[in-house]
């Protein structure tokens, strides 16, 4: 009888332990996922805003199941280190210029190729085009998922002269932004120095470079009007468009439930339709306003000048990409097809 009571007591204790474990598991499963979002851009920059608006909407739609912690200004990882950090699962998300990883995935140079886009809206449309699907597949093969396509137009700034045509870069110390831009401008006679846009202010101030290409957003957020004298602004024509996408580590993506993944892509779709172009289209106006206020001499590229750049792009960057990068010719053709 005593033995039976003892067994009953043990069974009761086991049942209590199971209930406690179930309760603990429920609480653990209800604990929010906190995703780290890193980028090189200043807090308040439109790319920082993009990450925060996305995060806030996902948090709202998941009722707090997924939350975000933001690390602007390279406060968590250096600009180019973010790619490997996502690949290894050390970083959840980044607003990342894809061409920064072109040394490891050469095909990504198509996302910063001279004269292959004519507008930000055209670039954002890559999300539904064969070229975009090709790049997204390459990203996933390399451990990173594309979430939002974010394209930026850009211009040419200099301390020494107005850069209107390729011949004007001869003898300059130039930051080109992108391997194929570097190739084209080296062929035109520039001396090339590679660096992320976050380092260009100091490089201009100290004479490491005297001429540079970057996005309209970066020209303003890094206050480059303080160290430049000339600007070829992308108001009417631009040879420079770059994708700086919101990306996610595949390790992080695979940790999410199907429902959570669905919310991520629903918010990404909403932002592509309702936020990206609407918030990026004012960047050129802000650029012109800030550089005018600072007394920088501004030039606006015309069609004849663009056509000269187009010809040198075809002979240098386009040809080199098609001939030296696996699948390069196909990607170039798909990019050009997406312009139509």
């Amino acid at each position: 009888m005593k033995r039976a009571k003892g067994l009953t007591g043990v069974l009761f204790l086991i049942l209590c332990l199971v209930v406690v474990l179930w309760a603990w598991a429920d609480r653990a499963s209800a604990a929010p996922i906190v995703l780290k979002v890193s980028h090189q851009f200043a807090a308040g920059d439109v790319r920082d805003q993009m990450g925060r608006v996305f995060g806030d909407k996902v948090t709202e739609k998941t009722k707090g199941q997924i939350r975000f912690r933001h690390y602007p200004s390279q406060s968590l990882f250096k600009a180019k280190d973010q790619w490997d950090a996502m690949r290894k699962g050390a970083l959840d998300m980044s607003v990342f210029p894809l061409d920064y990883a072109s040394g490891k995935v050469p095909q990504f140079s198509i996302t910063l190729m001279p004269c292959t886009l004519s507008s930000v809206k055209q670039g954002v449309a890559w999300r539904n085009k064969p070229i975009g699907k090709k790049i997204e597949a390459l990203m996933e093969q390399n451990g990173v998922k594309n979430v939002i396509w974010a394209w930026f137009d850009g211009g040419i700034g200099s301390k020494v002269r107005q850069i209107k045509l390729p011949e004007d870069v001869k003898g300059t110390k130039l930051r080109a932004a992108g391997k194929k831009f570097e190739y084209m401008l080296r062929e035109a006679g520039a001396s090339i120095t590679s660096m992320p846009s976050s380092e260009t202010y100091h490089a201009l101030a100290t004479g490491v470079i005297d001429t540079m290409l970057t996005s309209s957003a970066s020209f303003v957020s890094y206050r480059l009007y303080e160290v430049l004298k000339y600007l070829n602004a992308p108001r009417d024509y631009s040879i420079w468009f770059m994708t700086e996408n919101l990306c996610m580590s595949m390790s992080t993506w695979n940790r999410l439930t199907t429902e959570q993944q669905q919310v991520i892509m629903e918010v990404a779709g909403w932002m592509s339709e309702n936020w990206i172009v609407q918030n990026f289209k004012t960047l050129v106006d802000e650029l012109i306003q800030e550089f005018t206020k600072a007394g920088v001499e501004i030039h606006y590229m015309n069609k004849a000048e663009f056509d000269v750049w187009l010809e040198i792009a075809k002979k240098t960057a386009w040809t080199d990409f098609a001939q030296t990068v696996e699948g390069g010719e196909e990607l170039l053709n798909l990019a050009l097809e997406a312009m139509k």
Side-chain angles (χ1 to χ4, degrees):
M1 189 71 173
K2 286 183 180 179
R3 187 176 178 183
K5 287 182 178 179
L7 285 172
T8 301
V10 170
L11 289 171
F12 178 75
L13 287 172
I14 291 173
L15 179 62
C16 289
L17 180 60
V18 169
V19 170
V20 169
L21 288 173
W22 275 345
W24 178 85
D26 283 344
R27 284 198 300 274
S29 65
I33 299 169
V34 180
L35 302 185
K36 294 173 290 191
V37 186
S38 168
H39 59 76
Q40 73 194 62
F41 310 106
D45 179 282
V46 70
R47 289 154 290 200
D48 179 62
Q49 294 174 33
M50 175 175 68
R52 292 176 191 272
V53 170
F54 171 84
D56 289 347
K57 286 198 169 291
V58 170
T59 298
E60 179 186 350
K61 281 184 169 289
T62 60
K63 295 181 169 48
Q65 281 185 347
I66 304 178
R67 298 178 186 175
F68 298 80
R69 188 171 294 134
H70 300 271
Y71 297 87
S73 303
Q74 304 185 95
S75 56
L76 188 61
F77 290 98
K78 292 294 185 183
K80 294 191 177 182
D81 294 342
Q82 295 171 125
W83 178 256
D84 280 342
M86 285 189 288
R87 288 183 62 241
K88 296 171 183 175
L91 172 63
D92 298 305
M93 300 189 74
S94 178
V95 182
F96 186 75
L98 275 186
D99 189 80
Y100 282 10
S102 62
K104 296 171 181 178
V105 188
Q107 292 86 351
F108 288 168
S109 284
I110 196 63
T111 66
L112 183 52
M113 184 68 65
C115 304
T116 51
L117 279 182
S118 61
S119 71
V120 168
K121 187 175 182 180
Q122 201 173 71
V124 173
W126 276 31
R127 63 190 281 259
N128 296 317
K129 302 274 188 177
I131 179 63
K133 300 303 180 186
K134 281 275 188 184
I135 295 301
E136 288 179 343
L138 278 168
M139 291 174 70
E140 292 190 20
Q141 289 168 23
N142 284 273
V144 177
K145 182 169 184 64
N146 192 58
V147 179
I148 296 175
W149 283 98
W151 283 85
F152 294 83
D153 56 17
I156 312 169
S158 181
K159 293 169 62 177
V160 293
R161 68 179 72 95
Q162 190 64 259
I163 308 297
K164 299 180 181 180
L165 296 168
E167 63 198 46
D168 296 327
V169 304
K170 189 171 183 179
T172 60
K173 295 181 288 184
L174 190 146
R175 184 262 184 180
K179 290 186 177 300
K180 297 313 168 190
F181 267 97
E182 289 179 350
Y183 182 82
M184 177 180 75
L185 295 167
R186 188 181 293 113
E187 290 293 301
S191 174
I192 302 298
T193 299
S194 300
M195 65 185 70
S197 57
S198 51
E199 298 175 12
T200 53
Y201 186 103
H202 183 260
L204 286 164
T206 57
V208 173
I209 60 173
D210 55 37
T211 303
M212 61 168 294
L213 290 81
T214 195
S215 69
S216 297
S218 290
F219 271 121
V220 174
S221 66
Y222 292 128
R223 306 189 321 278
L224 297 180
Y225 45 80
E226 296 178 354
V227 285
L228 291 169
K229 295 181 180 179
Y230 306 93
L231 175 70
N232 190 335
R235 185 188 65 181
D236 305 317
Y237 292 89
S238 177
I239 64 171
W240 194 101
F241 286 89
M242 183 181 195
T243 182
E244 301 175 13
N245 289 359
L246 183 62
C247 310
M248 178 180 283
S249 165
M250 285 300 297
S251 298
T252 302
W253 175 257
N254 291 332
R255 284 205 326 264
L256 302 177
T257 66
T258 302
E259 291 76 16
Q260 289 168 339
Q261 290 175 350
Q262 185 176 348
V263 169
I264 293 283
M265 298 317 293
E266 283 177 357
V267 173
W270 179 87
M271 292 195 68
S272 297
E273 297 292 336
N274 301 286
W275 198 90
I276 299 297
V277 174
Q278 291 86 331
N279 283 272
F280 289 6
K281 66 184 179 183
T282 61
L283 295 175
V284 174
D285 293 336
E286 292 172 19
L287 167 68
I288 292 168
Q289 178 181 331
E290 292 298 328
F291 274 66
T292 299
K293 194 190 308 179
V296 175
E297 180 184 298
I298 299 176
H299 173 73
Y300 301 108
M301 186 179 292
N302 58 43
K303 176 70 163 56
E305 291 165 347
F306 176 85
D307 288 342
V308 174
W309 285 103
L310 177 59
E311 284 309 306
I312 191 174
K314 289 178 179 178
K315 293 174 183 175
T316 58
W318 292 18
T319 299
D320 182 68
F321 183 75
Q323 292 179 349
T324 65
V325 174
E326 182 180 352
E329 186 173 5
E330 180 191 7
L331 288 171
L332 182 60
N333 289 335
L334 289 175
L336 297 175
E337 182 65 30
M339 291 180 70
K340 297 175 183 178

